[in-house]
Amino acid sequence: DSEVSFVVKPFAAASGIVGEQMENKAVLPEDREIQRRTIALGDLLEHFQAPLLIDYFSLDVEGAESVVMEGFPWEKYNFKII
């Protein structure tokens, strides 16, 4: 769990997490910045008692895939198709 800065751009499709390794490197004057709490994907799956074998998983987080999947319990959850 952590808190991230999220930038809301005038063109919504370009909005996202702000950070050096993200597509949004900085907050521009025309942007709106908000703080959001996060939860690890593995913790989310466990909380909602997801099955250990998941048929299909799609992740589109605008360049933050490695951040989202960092620390994921691959030994616990398996995906048929990613």
Side-chain angles (χ1 to χ4, degrees):
D1 294 343
S2 64
E3 190 167 292
V4 297
S5 292
F6 189 91
V7 64
V8 179
K9 300 232 175 235
F11 178 62
S15 300
I17 298 172
V18 178
E20 286 299 315
Q21 59 199 39
M22 308 296 173
E23 290 183 9
N24 292 299
K25 306 266 187 248
V27 180
L28 304 175
E30 65 270 14
D31 298 337
R32 184 170 54 98
E33 183 178 16
I34 55 178
Q35 301 297 310
R36 290 291 180 250
R37 297 239 358 112
T38 65
I39 182 171
L41 178 58
D43 293 343
L44 182 74
L45 294 175
E46 185 174 323
H47 177 79
F48 287 103
Q49 300 175 346
L52 300 180
L53 178 60
I54 297 170
D55 290 330
Y56 177 77
F57 179 68
S58 178
L59 180 66
D60 182 11
V61 289
E62 306 303 327
E65 288 81 359
S66 62
V67 174
V68 171
M69 297 309 290
E70 184 178 337
F72 184 79
W74 293 102
E75 67 286 348
K76 183 174 182 177
Y77 295 99
N78 291 293
F79 304 101
K80 289 184 180 179
I81 299 171
I82 295 181

